[in-house]
């Protein structure tokens, strides 16, 4: 009988970060790694160490701090890549190396210009080399789903013989279909003689929108590890979404008879965290974690749900951690105890001194805004986290604009304990504000992207601004929320600059 446990291998920090424009900073990566550990992920692929000194440092940083999940780094079948992973994951309590090498004839002919025999020799050599230095080895024949079956079976048998403990079968270009991919996995389980010595893994891209369906078909075919990302981010159209795969296995336990270690109540929170770190907004209709995933609009549906929830709901929103936005949670007269309790309900526990600061910010917000929702509280805490180690902070902002006057903004920032002010005009108040901040910091800053959305409902809702900026040529993402959108814009810009400054310090 096959094992009924499916290992969850998260690659948000590696394949996810390969999504165009999804660069994350080292602090954000560590914060996400902690959240993945809390979520119960078995393996965290933290990066591709040889690809850049920054990636190496990030993988090492994750390896130093993560204790429960296994920390993995990616390598090509090249000694210098393997050495880089071994060095980067050294501090981890549980570690793995993930070696990949293309096997399809398209890749062999046009990309690698090597014969099948040469590819087998490279794979064997690299797995043997790694196995002498580490016990936990994963091997991926890149573009496996388009690889000739007999060659796929041959290379898998060889790498397992040399010590690979997991064999991952990537549908690298998202070309496969569920029936076909399920058969590829079943074929491997039935035709590779020593397959019982390794865990078979799925890794499906979403180019045809089939990433999750293919992954599930692979699991039904015998795979016991799924590679996936939060919100389905990844190269091109993305990777298979973890929350969709895990909730499918859980909701359809009756069909799959399989389980994972994932604490699903963490999904909503980590989804927002990844969205904020990458600047990729979660579409409202996204399964499991989209804003509309559990909202019923039609009267017939609402009536049905009120009579019996199961008429139109196949999952309980609480099981994926969707916060309640229906009722008013806290207001101006709420006390510190109620505030602490509500945060606890959201899975946020702060040390007393941070709690005091967060409570003061909550009172401040409650003065401006009648109704405080869970999302407002999460925004307060997150904003505060960003303020903990800042180079610049906004001390004051005066903005004047109108239909017949040129927008003018005076910004005052606090830097190294001193206040500095700058007045600027611009094409609009946000442009004027950004010009003032650039002049104050004396840094070369280019705004690449600007987005604003309301965090909660109502005209007094918190506006959350996300900016993507190039500071001295380095892309960073900044975010901030406020009831005043010019203030949120200024704080988001300053947040991005602070991240740049923090990254520079880390490199010294
Ligand atoms: O999609 C892919 O083939 C990959 C490999 C590196 C596993 O991401
Ligand atoms: Zn991939």
């Amino acid at each position: 009988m096959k094992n009924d446990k499916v290992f969850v291998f998260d690659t948000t920090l590696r394949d996810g970060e390969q999504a165009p424009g999804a660069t994350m900073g080292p602090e954000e990566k560590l914060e996400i790694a902690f959240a993945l550990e809390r979520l119960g992920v078995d393996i965290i692929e933290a990066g591709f160490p040889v690809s850049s000194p920054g990636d190496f440092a990030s993988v090492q940083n994750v390896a130093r701090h993560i204790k429960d999940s296994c920390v993995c780094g990616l390598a090509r079948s090249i000694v210098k890549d393997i050495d880089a992973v071994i060095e980067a994951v050294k501090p981890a309590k549980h570690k793995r190396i993930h070696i990949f090498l293309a096997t399809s004839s398209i890749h062999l002919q046009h990309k690698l210009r090597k014969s099948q025999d040469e590819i087998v020799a490279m794979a064997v050599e690299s797995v043997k080399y790694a196995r002498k230095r580490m016990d936990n080895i994963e091997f991926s024949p890149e573009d496996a789903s388009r690889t000739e079956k007999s060659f796929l079976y041959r290379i898998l048998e060889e790498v397992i013989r040399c010590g690979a403990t997991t064999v991952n079968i990537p549908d690298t270009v998202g070309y496969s279909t569920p029936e076909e991919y399920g058969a590829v996995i079943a074929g491997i389980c039935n035709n590779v003689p020593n397959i019982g010595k390794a865990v078979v893994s799925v890794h499906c891209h979403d180019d045809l929108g089939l990433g999750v369906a293919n992954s599930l078909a692979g699991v039904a075919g015998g795979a016991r590890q799924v590679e996936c990302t939060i919100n389905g981010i990844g190269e091109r159209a993305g990777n298979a979404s973890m929350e969709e795969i895990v909730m499918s296995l859980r909701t359809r336990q009756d069909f799959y008879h399989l389980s994972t270690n994932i604490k699903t109540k963490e999904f909503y929170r980590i989804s927002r965290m990844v969205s904020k770190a990458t600047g990729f907004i979660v579409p409202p209709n996204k399964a499991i974690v989209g804003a509309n995933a559990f909202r019923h609009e039609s009267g017939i549906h609402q009536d049905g749900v009120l009579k019996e929830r199961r008429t139109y709901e196949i999952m309980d929103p609480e099981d994926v951690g969707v916060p309640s936005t229906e009722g008013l949670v806290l207001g101006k007269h709420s006390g510190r105890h109620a505030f602490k309790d509500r945060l606890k309900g959201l899975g946020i526990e702060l040390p007393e001194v941070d709690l005091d600061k967060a409570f003061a910010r909550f009172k401040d917000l409650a003065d401006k805004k009648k109704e405080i929702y869970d999302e407002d509280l999460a925004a307060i805490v997150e904003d505060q986290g960003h303020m903990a180690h800042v180079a610049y902070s906004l001390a004051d902002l005066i903005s004047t604009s109108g239909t017949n006057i040129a927008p003018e903004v005076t910004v005052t920032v606090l830097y190294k304990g001193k206040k500095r002010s700058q007045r600027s005009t611009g094409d609009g108040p946000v442009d004027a504000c950004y010009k003032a901040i650039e002049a104050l910091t004396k840094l070369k800053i280019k705004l690449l992207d600007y987005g604003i959305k309301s965090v909660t409902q109502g005209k007094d809702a918190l506006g959350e601004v996300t900016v993507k900026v190039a500071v001295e040529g380095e892309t960073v993402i900044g975010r901030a929320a406020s009831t005043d959108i010019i203030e949120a814009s200024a704080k988001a810009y300053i947040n991005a600059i602070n991240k740049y400054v923090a990254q520079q310090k880390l490199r010294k």
Side-chain angles (χ1 to χ4, degrees):
M1 237 263 314
K2 267 218 165 296
N3 190 353
D4 65 358
K5 157 102 193 286
V6 175
F7 294 106
V8 175
F9 176 116
D10 177 88
T11 183
T12 306
L13 300 177
R14 199 278 295 169
D15 209 320
E17 210 207 15
Q18 279 173 227
T23 331
M24 292 174 253
E27 286 182 26
E28 286 159 331
K29 285 188 180 174
L30 186 61
E31 197 187 343
I32 291 171
F34 278 131
L36 290 169
E37 187 181 42
R38 251 196 327 271
L39 181 65
V41 159
D42 300 287
I43 304 108
I44 298 174
E45 187 165 54
F48 188 4
V50 86
S51 66
S52 72
D55 225 46
F56 182 94
S58 279
V59 176
Q60 200 172 43
N61 202 25
V62 170
R64 283 197 183 116
H65 291 89
I66 296 299
K67 300 281 170 269
D68 298 339
S69 310
C70 176
V71 179
C72 176
L74 183 69
R76 290 168 297 179
S77 292
I78 298 176
V79 165
K80 80 167 170 157
D81 285 36
I82 298 172
D83 287 343
V85 172
I86 289 168
E87 191 54 30
V89 300
K90 202 184 265 167
K93 192 164 169 216
H94 311 286
K95 36 189 164 269
R96 172 183 292 190
I97 183 166
H98 178 187
I99 302 170
F100 75 99
L101 181 62
T103 50
S104 67
S105 39
I106 302 175
H107 281 235
L108 262 56
Q109 268 175 34
H110 304 287
K111 189 179 88 174
L112 301 175
R113 302 212 167 94
K114 289 199 186 298
S115 69
Q116 291 188 341
D117 287 345
E118 286 172 305
I119 291 295
V120 172
M122 273 177 83
V124 161
E125 231 174 88
S126 56
V127 171
K128 275 188 181 162
Y129 180 85
R131 185 64 203 232
K132 282 192 194 129
R133 291 152 181 87
M134 210 186 271
D135 292 338
N136 195 338
I137 318 274
E138 172 168 330
F139 180 81
S140 285
E142 191 192 7
D143 205 15
S145 55
R146 292 194 298 171
T147 297
E148 195 186 300
K149 299 286 178 302
S150 55
F151 182 52
L152 188 58
Y153 301 157
R154 175 181 161 204
I155 197 162
L156 293 177
E157 184 180 354
E158 288 293 333
V159 294
I160 295 170
R161 191 178 52 78
C162 298
T165 42
T166 300
V167 286
N168 180 45
I169 312 302
D171 181 26
T172 302
V173 289
Y175 178 75
S176 213
T177 63
E179 293 77 9
E180 182 187 72
Y181 189 74
V184 169
I185 301 293
I188 289 168
C189 294
N190 294 327
N191 291 290
V192 177
N194 53 0
I195 199 70
K197 292 189 177 155
V199 173
V200 179
S201 167
V202 295
H203 178 114
C204 300
H205 280 271
D206 208 29
D207 300 66
L208 293 173
L210 294 171
V212 170
N214 286 344
S215 303
L216 292 168
V219 166
R224 287 297 175 267
Q225 174 179 284
V226 284
E227 300 202 353
C228 44
T229 60
I230 299 296
N231 298 338
I233 63 168
E235 185 81 39
R236 305 180 310 279
N239 211 298
S241 135
M242 187 202 297
E243 56 279 9
E244 294 176 23
I245 294 176
V246 169
M247 288 313 288
S248 297
L249 292 177
R250 182 180 153 134
T251 309
R252 296 307 311 274
Q253 238 276 334
D254 62 317
F255 181 78
Y256 291 105
H257 305 288
L258 294 167
S259 63
T260 69
N261 278 342
I262 298 299
K263 297 179 191 74
T264 60
K265 281 189 177 13
E266 296 285 332
F267 272 142
Y268 187 85
R269 214 170 130 206
I270 194 166
S271 159
R272 291 319 182 253
M273 186 187 281
V274 169
S275 159
K276 285 175 176 170
T278 54
F280 287 7
I281 286 165
V282 179
N285 61 329
K286 164 86 177 64
I288 318 293
V289 289
N292 291 347
F294 295 96
R295 279 190 186 145
H296 303 279
E297 188 67 25
S298 123
I300 296 171
H301 289 204
Q302 286 175 353
D303 178 58
V305 169
L306 287 173
K307 286 176 176 146
E308 168 56 56
R309 197 181 57 76
R310 281 174 302 160
T311 50
Y312 288 100
E313 266 184 20
I314 58 163
M315 292 168 275
D316 187 337
E318 270 191 20
D319 285 347
V320 295
V322 172
S324 130
T325 46
E326 299 308 313
L328 167 72
V329 288
L330 290 175
K332 186 173 170 158
H333 302 293
S334 308
R336 191 175 178 284
H337 191 79
F339 176 72
K340 185 178 174 178
D341 243 35
R342 192 61 219 145
L343 286 184
K344 205 169 165 202
L346 292 173
I348 304 170
E349 291 195 55
L350 297 175
E352 287 303 305
V353 17
D354 291 343
L355 187 73
D356 285 342
K357 285 189 205 149
F359 185 60
R361 288 166 72 84
F362 156 71
K363 281 288 185 185
D364 212 31
L365 181 64
D367 267 342
K368 297 181 193 151
K369 187 174 187 298
K370 265 206 319 269
E371 301 175 332
I372 309 277
Y373 295 93
D374 287 347
E375 283 94 338
D376 293 318
L377 298 181
I380 289 175
V381 173
E382 203 196 304
D383 218 31
Q384 184 168 310
H386 291 148
M387 294 188 57
H389 28 255
V390 298
Y392 298 92
S393 59
L394 183 70
D396 195 29
L397 187 143
I398 302 162
S399 158
T400 47
S401 65
T403 29
N404 295 315
I405 52 165
E408 188 181 287
V409 174
T410 304
V411 178
T412 305
V413 294
L414 199 62
Y415 180 66
K416 294 189 174 164
K418 289 206 177 108
K419 281 187 179 173
R420 296 180 183 175
S421 294
Q422 176 74 39
R423 184 166 53 89
S424 282
T425 54
D427 285 340
V430 174
D431 183 47
C433 175
Y434 287 0
K435 283 189 172 134
I437 295 170
E438 276 170 54
L440 283 167
T441 59
K442 299 190 176 67
L443 289 165
K444 216 166 130 213
I445 311 170
K446 188 168 175 224
L447 181 67
L448 303 174
D449 203 5
Y450 175 96
I452 181 160
K453 69 178 176 93
S454 76
V455 180
T456 45
Q457 309 102 313
K459 60 183 187 321
D460 60 355
L462 278 186
E464 184 181 79
V465 172
T466 303
V467 290
K468 187 174 281 184
V469 290
V471 187
E472 301 290 340
E474 278 209 32
T475 305
V476 267
I477 288 168
R479 240 171 14 252
S482 168
T483 47
D484 179 325
I485 57 170
I486 307 300
E487 185 183 319
S489 304
K491 284 183 168 172
Y493 210 57
I494 291 173
N495 177 233
I497 295 166
N498 283 332
K499 281 190 191 164
Y500 166 78
V501 175
Q503 279 175 28
Q504 296 307 303
K505 272 195 197 146
L506 213 72
R507 282 188 198 143
K508 276 182 191 154

